[in-house]
Amino acid sequence: MKKYILTIACVLMVSAFAKAQSAQDIFQAVGTPSNPKVKISFNQYYTSEGLAALGKKITDAHPNLVKRMSIGKSTQGRDIWMLAITDYSTGDADRKPGFYLDGNIHSNEIQGGEISTYTAWYLTESFGKVPYITEMLKDRVFYIVATINPDARNNYMKEANTRNTPRAGMIPLDDDSDGLFDEDGFDDLDGDGSITQMRRKSTTGDFILDPRDPRKMIRISPDDVVTGQRYEMLGGEGIDNDNDGRINEDIPGYYDPNRDWGWKWQPDYVQRGAYKYPFSAPETRAVADFVKKHPNIAGAQSFHNSGGMILRGPGAEEDLATYNRADIAIYDAIGKKGEELLPGYNYLTVYKDLYSVFGGELDWFYGGRGIYTFTNEIFTGFAYYKNKDGGFDQIYAADKDLLLGDGFTPYKEYNHPTYGLVEIGGFKKNTGRATPGFMLEEEAHRNMVFVFYHAFHMPHLSIGDVSVKSLPNGLKEVTATIVNDRLMPTHASQDLKYNIERPDYISLSGAKVLAGMIVQDADFNVTTEQKNTPETIRVANIPGNSTVMVRWIVKGGNNLTIKVDSAKGGVVEQRVK
């Protein structure tokens, strides 16, 4: 009888809990989709397979907004999944201005996977509810790749690593040139999944425990009088697997996918991390092939970590001439807005504020394809206390105050085969660079709205004033003003310099066109005539926040159609009576 009553009570409790989670019992928090079709926890990280599964759920729940495709295979044969998101009921998706977004090019820089997925989720769950998103998807298409380095993402998450390894792609390399591959990588001696630090008590050691925080080691200065225990730091956990007298010198494959792109590429002896030749890694090749097949892509964003930075090129001073004043003004406007949207982040230039990068992704996107591109370095120590970034020391306080000790492995003794009795401990691999779970959704949302601001300012074309003027002998003069009301032109300066993309076409149909011209000055009637195919006027560029005026002389026709066809600006048409 007691068992029966207990069972009934449990059923009632479960029933009550289920009812508490129903849609009518939830009050929406502003800025977050209410009662989403796909429920995702954005306070945790997902493996490559986990991200792929989330992408499929989003696609299955929103078939009218998402098409999912593999753009290639990774080194180990995993699919590189892309979600193409737009309102497929309006226009040709491939002819809409496109925005490319990716994350996790470096294996340990994982937040980009979640931010990219959050962006896809937010777009689909907000369509039809948030006018800004609904309008955006009518005339924009987003190409979202959550991880372009799925093999190395899984290695970082599933294998023993430090916070900084593996940065690379997963092509096996012999880092110490001893003819062996990956034979002396990290060893997780205490089995906690993270490579922390080894220290050893020593009468001649040059470190002591910080008296204010025993988790921290501080170096002894020459004038210090030391009465307590000295330690020597031995580096990361590991043993000498190949008997060459060194530890951790040949960690799994080191090549850097962000040195593999075909713009100002340099070989490994110049640019550490470069592979055989530009696009020699299958992951970067897959992205490049996709981008080249989609000339509608006008803006791009790649997510890295960390440091709280909004980066633009050039990657190297040698490439400084690539970025001219007009395009830098556009970068500046978007980047400075990013500083407002992302508190604690700084808008910077790679070569000037960091270091030289040859063969980088953002430089290839802009230099090679004329696509305005940013790289965001996700997470900054500012996020901990919302006042300043106190550097690495701040993480000790944050672990104690905010993470409640969850980010640090206390030191424990271990009998090392080479060093004897040592102590192993320190910060876990998911502490410091990876955004803590309770901050991750805010990080994702803020970086997403920066993407939206960037995408909003891709070219947005319309046909403005149209006038029809009667001329002698049954002729008519048709004049049209083409408007671009966003920051970006239809052709970046780099595009114009190297003729990367075709001109914009402005055409008139419905009558016999005798002459076509670009109007340089309407007041003084200064025009430049196009002798060949006058019905389709070729315009080199439609500048941002500006207009282009064209004119035709036609005979006959009462129902005319003006069409603007721009690779990066899309297609618009208007009937003229």
Side-chain angles (χ1 to χ4, degrees), residues 295-323:
N296 60 318
I297 296 174
Q301 173 76 48
S302 181
F303 290 118
H304 296 226
N305 81 30
S306 58
M309 292 175 276
I310 303 164
L311 298 174
R312 71 159 176 89
E317 188 173 6
E318 291 85 339
D319 199 22
L320 190 57
T322 298
Y323 290 72

Coordinates of all heavy atoms in Angstrom, one line a residue, residues 295-323:
P295 N 29.4 34.2 -55.7 CA 29.9 35.6 -55.8 C 28.9 36.6 -55.1 O 29.2 37.8 -55.0 CB 29.9 35.8 -57.3 CG 28.9 34.8 -57.8 CD 29.1 33.6 -57.0
N296 N 27.8 36.1 -54.6 CA 26.8 37.0 -53.9 C 27.3 37.3 -52.5 O 26.8 38.2 -51.8 CB 25.4 36.4 -53.8 CG 25.4 35.0 -53.1 OD1 26.3 34.2 -53.3 ND2 24.5 34.8 -52.3
I297 N 28.3 36.6 -52.0 CA 28.8 36.9 -50.6 C 29.5 38.3 -50.6 O 30.5 38.5 -51.3 CB 29.8 35.8 -50.2 CG1 29.0 34.4 -50.1 CG2 30.4 36.1 -48.8 CD1 29.9 33.3 -49.8
A298 N 28.9 39.1 -49.8 CA 29.5 40.5 -49.7 C 30.1 40.8 -48.3 O 30.9 41.7 -48.2 CB 28.3 41.5 -49.9
G299 N 29.7 40.0 -47.3 CA 30.3 40.2 -45.9 C 30.6 38.9 -45.3 O 30.0 37.8 -45.7
A300 N 31.6 38.9 -44.4 CA 32.0 37.6 -43.8 C 32.5 37.9 -42.4 O 33.0 39.0 -42.0 CB 33.1 36.9 -44.6
Q301 N 32.4 36.8 -41.5 CA 32.9 36.9 -40.2 C 33.4 35.6 -39.7 O 32.8 34.5 -40.0 CB 31.7 37.3 -39.3 CG 31.9 37.2 -37.8 CD 32.7 38.4 -37.3 OE1 32.4 39.5 -37.6 NE2 33.8 38.2 -36.5
S302 N 34.5 35.6 -39.0 CA 35.1 34.3 -38.5 C 35.3 34.6 -37.0 O 35.8 35.6 -36.5 CB 36.4 34.0 -39.1 OG 37.0 32.8 -38.6
F303 N 35.0 33.5 -36.2 CA 35.1 33.6 -34.7 C 36.3 32.8 -34.2 O 36.4 31.6 -34.5 CB 33.8 33.2 -34.0 CG 32.7 34.1 -34.2 CD1 31.5 33.7 -34.9 CD2 32.7 35.4 -33.8 CE1 30.4 34.5 -35.1 CE2 31.7 36.3 -33.9 CZ 30.5 35.8 -34.6
H304 N 37.1 33.5 -33.4 CA 38.3 32.9 -32.8 C 38.2 33.1 -31.3 O 37.2 33.6 -30.8 CB 39.6 33.5 -33.3 CG 39.9 33.3 -34.8 ND1 41.1 32.9 -35.2 CD2 39.1 33.4 -35.8 CE1 41.1 32.8 -36.5 NE2 39.9 33.1 -36.9
N305 N 39.2 32.8 -30.5 CA 39.4 33.3 -29.1 C 40.9 33.4 -28.9 O 41.7 32.8 -29.6 CB 38.7 32.3 -28.1 CG 39.4 31.1 -27.7 OD1 40.7 31.1 -27.7 ND2 38.7 30.0 -27.4
S306 N 41.2 34.3 -27.9 CA 40.4 35.1 -27.1 C 41.0 36.5 -27.0 O 41.9 36.8 -27.8 CB 40.4 34.5 -25.6 OG 41.7 34.3 -25.1
G307 N 40.6 37.3 -26.1 CA 41.2 38.6 -25.9 C 40.2 39.8 -26.1 O 40.6 40.9 -25.8
G308 N 39.0 39.5 -26.6 CA 38.0 40.5 -26.8 C 38.5 41.5 -27.8 O 38.7 42.7 -27.5
M309 N 38.6 41.1 -29.1 CA 39.0 41.9 -30.2 C 38.1 41.8 -31.4 O 37.6 40.7 -31.7 CB 40.5 41.6 -30.6 CG 41.5 41.9 -29.5 SD 43.2 41.4 -29.9 CE 43.1 39.7 -29.3
I310 N 37.9 42.9 -32.1 CA 37.3 42.9 -33.4 C 38.4 43.3 -34.4 O 38.9 44.4 -34.4 CB 36.2 43.9 -33.4 CG1 35.1 43.7 -32.3 CG2 35.5 44.0 -34.8 CD1 34.2 44.8 -32.0
L311 N 38.8 42.3 -35.2 CA 40.0 42.5 -36.0 C 39.7 42.6 -37.5 O 38.8 41.9 -38.0 CB 40.9 41.3 -35.9 CG 41.5 41.0 -34.5 CD1 42.2 39.7 -34.4 CD2 42.4 42.1 -34.0
R312 N 40.4 43.5 -38.1 CA 40.3 43.6 -39.6 C 41.8 43.5 -40.1 O 42.7 43.6 -39.3 CB 39.7 45.0 -40.0 CG 40.6 46.2 -39.8 CD 40.2 47.3 -40.7 NE 41.0 48.6 -40.4 CZ 42.1 48.9 -41.0 NH1 42.7 48.0 -41.8 NH2 42.7 50.0 -40.7
G313 N 41.9 43.3 -41.4 CA 43.2 43.2 -42.0 C 43.8 44.7 -42.2 O 43.1 45.7 -41.9
P314 N 45.0 44.7 -42.7 CA 45.8 43.6 -43.2 C 46.5 42.8 -42.1 O 46.7 43.4 -41.0 CB 46.8 44.3 -44.1 CG 47.0 45.7 -43.5 CD 45.6 46.0 -43.0
G315 N 46.8 41.6 -42.4 CA 47.5 40.7 -41.5 C 48.9 41.1 -41.4 O 49.6 40.8 -40.4
A316 N 49.5 41.6 -42.5 CA 50.9 42.0 -42.5 C 51.1 43.4 -43.1 O 50.3 43.8 -43.9 CB 51.7 41.0 -43.3
E317 N 52.1 44.1 -42.6 CA 52.4 45.4 -43.1 C 52.7 45.4 -44.5 O 52.3 46.4 -45.2 CB 53.5 46.0 -42.3 CG 53.8 47.5 -42.6 CD 54.8 48.1 -41.6 OE1 55.4 47.4 -40.9 OE2 55.0 49.3 -41.7
E318 N 53.2 44.3 -45.0 CA 53.5 44.3 -46.5 C 52.3 44.4 -47.3 O 52.3 44.6 -48.5 CB 54.2 42.9 -46.8 CG 55.7 42.8 -46.2 CD 55.7 42.4 -44.8 OE1 54.7 42.5 -44.1 OE2 56.8 41.9 -44.3
D319 N 51.1 44.1 -46.7 CA 49.8 44.1 -47.4 C 49.1 45.4 -47.2 O 47.9 45.5 -47.5 CB 49.0 42.9 -47.0 CG 47.9 42.6 -48.0 OD1 48.0 43.0 -49.2 OD2 47.0 41.9 -47.6
L320 N 49.7 46.4 -46.7 CA 49.0 47.6 -46.2 C 48.3 48.3 -47.4 O 47.2 48.9 -47.2 CB 50.0 48.6 -45.6 CG 49.5 49.8 -44.9 CD1 48.5 49.4 -43.8 CD2 50.6 50.7 -44.3
A321 N 48.9 48.3 -48.6 CA 48.3 49.0 -49.7 C 47.0 48.4 -50.2 O 46.2 49.0 -50.9 CB 49.3 49.0 -50.9
T322 N 46.7 47.2 -49.8 CA 45.5 46.5 -50.2 C 44.2 47.2 -49.7 O 43.2 47.3 -50.3 CB 45.5 45.0 -49.7 OG1 46.6 44.4 -50.3 CG2 44.2 44.3 -50.1
Y323 N 44.3 47.8 -48.5 CA 43.2 48.4 -47.8 C 43.3 49.9 -48.1 O 44.1 50.6 -47.5 CB 43.2 48.1 -46.3 CG 42.9 46.7 -46.0 CD1 43.8 45.7 -46.3 CD2 41.7 46.3 -45.4 CE1 43.6 44.3 -46.0 CE2 41.4 45.0 -45.2 CZ 42.4 44.0 -45.4 OH 42.1 42.7 -45.1

